[in-house]
Amino acid sequence: MSHLSREACLALDEADPLRDRRDLFDLPEGIIYLDGNSLGVLPRAVSARLAQVVAEEWGRGLIRSWNTAGWIDLPVRVGSRIAPLIGAHADEVIACDSTSVNLFKLAAGALALRPDRKVIVTEPGNFPSDLYILQGLSDLRPDLEIRVVPRDLLVQALDDTVALLLLTQVHYKTGEVHDMAALTEGAHAVGALTLWDLSHSTGALPVDLTRAKVDLAVGCGYKYLNGGPGAPSFTYVARRHQEGFRSPLTGWMGHAQPFAFVDDYRPGAGMARLLCGTPQILGMAALEAALSAFDGVDMAVVRDKSIVLGNQFLSLVAERCGGDLVPACPADGRLRGSQICLRHPSGYAIMQALIARGVIGDFRAPDILRFGFTPLYTRHVDVWDAVEHLVQVMSSGAWRDPRFAAVAAVT
Ligand SMILES: *Cc1c(COP(=O)(O)O)cnc(C)c1O
C-alpha cells in the first residue's frame, strides 16, 4: 500500500507557497471546510471593513458617502479588481446584481446583437438558473428556440441560426471543465456569440477571457471569491461589443446621466449600462475587501495546489473507502474544477454525518457528495483528515442514524 501519510501532508503544507494565505481567513476552530465552492470562508479583512462601512460611512457619513466614500464607484472598482482573475481588461467587468439577473441581461443583450438569429444553445444539467433564465426569456420571446444539447454534441449543434452559446465553464455538480477557447472558436465560426458562466471557475483556476476571445461572461461573488452570502455577481462584456450592447433592464443607474433625471433612457458609457438599480453597498464593500486575499496570488499556483488536493482526496478515498463511493468527476485534475464529487445512493445522509463531525461539504441531488478545495485556505492535512472522517462514517455505518436522513431546505 502506498498510502499518503498524514505526516507527508503536514510536510506538504510546510512547503506550500500559499501557506500564509490561510491566516487571512477567519476559520472556525475544529471545522474542516470543504464547501468554499458554495460559500467562501469569511476573510478577516471583511469583518473590519464592514464594521467601518456601517459605523462610519453609513452611520456618520450618511448620504454624503455616495461621494465622499466613493460608494458610487464601487461596481466599477470591484469589477476592475476581478478583471485580472479572469483575463479581462479592467473596463470590461462590472459588479452588480446576482448571477441569475446578469445571465438574463447578457442573454437578452446577446439576442439584440444578433437580431436575425433566434437560437440559444446550452447543455442539459447546466446550473438551474442558467436554464430557467433562458426559459423565462423564451416566454418573452416566443420565437426563441432553446436548443439543449449534450456536451459531446455541442459543436455539431452550432449553425448559422444560433445567436448564442451559453455554458458554464466548470460544471457545478461534476466539476467537468469545458474547453472554453475551443467552444468559443466553434461558436464564432458560425457567427454566434458566447456567454460563459464562470461561477465555479473564478478564483479557482486561471481564466483568460481575452485569449479565448469570449464575448460575454458572468460569475459569482460568494463562492471562491469569498464575498459573503448573496454577494454581488460580476458581468463581463468584451470591449468590441460594449458600444452596441443593450441591457433589457434599463434602470436609472445604467443611464448615461443618472442624476440628470430625464424621462428618456440613454445607456451609460461602457459597462455602466449593465447597471440597473442602486448598488448594494454593504455587499459590494464586503466583496471588495474579500478580493484582497487574492492580491499578489498567481492563479497558476492556486490551480496546481487545487489539482494536488483533489488528486490526493480521490486516491485516499479509492484506497481507504472501498468501492461504495463512486467518483463522479474527471480523474484527470486538468479536466476538473476545484471540487471532488462522489456518488452514493445515501449521499445526503453521509454528508450530514460528516457535517456532524465538523467536515463540511455539500450534497447535490440526486446522489452527489461534493467536496470543494479552496487552495488559499485548504491544507493537505485537511484532505487527509476529511478522508479519515469519511472512512469512519462509512465503516461504522454512522450515517444510518435516522437524524441524518431529515432533509433541510438548503442542501
Ligand atoms: C452559484 C451559481 C449561480 C448562482 O446564481 P445566483 O443568482 O447567485 O443564485 C449561477 N450559475 C452557476 C453556474 C452557479 O454555480
Side-chain angles (χ1 to χ4, degrees):
M1 291 294 264
S2 60
H3 279 177
L4 175 71
S5 68
R6 193 168 191 280
E7 290 63 38
C9 288
L10 290 169
L12 287 168
D13 289 329
E14 201 53 41
D16 177 5
L18 296 171
R19 188 180 58 174
D20 295 338
R21 294 280 154 172
R22 188 174 158 88
D23 297 336
L24 300 177
F25 295 89
D26 192 358
L27 284 145
E29 205 61 45
I31 294 289
I32 299 174
Y33 194 68
L34 301 181
D35 214 1
N37 54 322
S38 224
L39 176 65
V41 164
L42 171 64
R44 293 184 195 280
V46 169
S47 315
R49 176 72 183 123
L50 274 187
Q52 180 196 31
V53 174
V54 170
E56 292 171 29
E57 297 181 8
W58 180 13
R60 303 269 80 80
L62 291 167
I63 201 160
R64 294 169 291 188
S65 290
W66 284 104
N67 294 311
T68 56
W71 286 355
I72 197 67
D73 302 322
L74 264 172
V76 166
R77 220 157 64 220
V78 173
S80 70
R81 287 190 77 153
I82 293 170
L85 296 175
I86 56 174
H89 301 107
D91 60 0
E92 291 176 313
V93 186
I94 199 161
C96 55
D97 301 318
S98 65
T99 304
S100 302
V101 169
N102 284 329
L103 280 164
F104 179 80
K105 290 189 282 192
L106 292 188
L111 292 175
L113 287 172
R114 291 287 179 274
D116 51 341
R117 299 176 176 218
K118 52 179 184 2
V119 178
I120 298 182
V121 174
T122 187
E123 65 170 323
N126 199 345
F127 187 82
S129 250
D130 300 60
L131 295 168
Y132 301 165
I133 287 290
L134 294 184
Q135 290 161 22
L137 192 55
S138 63
D139 288 345
L140 298 173
R141 284 276 310 258
D143 60 327
L144 192 63
E145 179 196 337
I146 310 297
R147 198 176 284 172
V148 185
V149 190
R151 53 176 52 205
D152 46 331
L153 300 175
L154 281 167
V155 176
Q156 288 99 297
L158 298 170
D159 57 39
D160 64 8
T161 64
V162 176
L164 179 69
L165 173 64
L166 187 171
L167 293 170
T168 300
Q169 188 191 14
V170 175
H171 196 278
Y172 76 101
K173 212 187 278 191
T174 65
E176 288 166 278
V177 183
H178 273 302
D179 187 337
M180 188 164 75
L183 283 159
T184 298
E185 195 181 331
H188 289 172
V190 298
L193 298 169
T194 55
L195 165 48
W196 286 94
D197 186 333
L198 305 175
S199 291
H200 281 278
S201 319
T202 315
L205 43 93
V207 176
D208 198 336
L209 296 179
T210 303
R211 180 180 294 205
K213 302 191 171 66
V214 167
D215 304 286
L216 310 166
V218 295
C220 184
Y222 51 79
K223 292 171 178 157
Y224 295 96
L225 297 185
N226 313 304
S233 160
F234 65 85
T235 168
Y236 160 93
V237 177
R239 277 178 181 164
R240 63 187 176 279
H241 296 306
Q242 288 179 10
E243 179 77 23
F245 192 86
R246 291 291 177 272
S247 169
L249 299 181
T250 45
W252 73 304
M253 280 290 159
H255 191 277
Q257 291 179 292
F259 290 89
F261 295 103
V262 295
D263 282 354
D264 293 317
Y265 182 77
R266 209 154 42 82
M271 292 303 287
R273 67 187 57 188
L274 269 296
L275 297 177
C276 181
T278 305
Q280 314 97 312
I281 294 307
L282 298 181
M284 288 278 170
L287 178 55
E288 183 180 44
L291 288 167
S292 63
F294 283 92
D295 286 350
V297 168
D298 178 350
M299 286 306 296
V301 172
V302 171
R303 179 64 168 153
D304 287 347
K305 181 178 172 190
S306 151
I307 289 175
V308 168
L309 295 173
N311 287 347
Q312 288 174 342
F313 189 93
L314 264 187
S315 57
L316 285 169
V317 167
E319 287 169 14
R320 304 189 59 204
C321 292
D324 288 350
L325 294 162
V326 183
C329 55
D332 181 344
R334 292 164 305 177
L335 305 179
R336 193 174 67 214
S338 200
Q339 70 193 59
I340 292 296
C341 318
L342 303 174
R343 235 180 250 287
H344 191 287
S346 298
Y348 183 80
I350 295 168
M351 184 52 77
Q352 295 314 302
L354 282 173
I355 292 171
R357 288 164 160 263
V359 179
I360 302 182
D362 62 22
F363 172 77
R364 287 293 173 262
D367 59 357
I368 290 195
L369 295 106
R370 213 168 52 150
F371 302 90
F373 304 96
T374 37
L376 297 191
Y377 53 83
T378 306
R379 299 168 301 191
H380 300 79
V381 76
D382 296 325
V383 167
W384 200 94
D385 290 343
V387 175
E388 173 63 24
H389 281 287
L390 187 55
V391 168
Q392 291 179 19
V393 163
M394 297 309 289
S395 61
S396 66
W399 58 270
R400 295 179 195 275
D401 187 318
R403 77 190 156 112
F404 297 135
V407 179
V410 176
T411 64

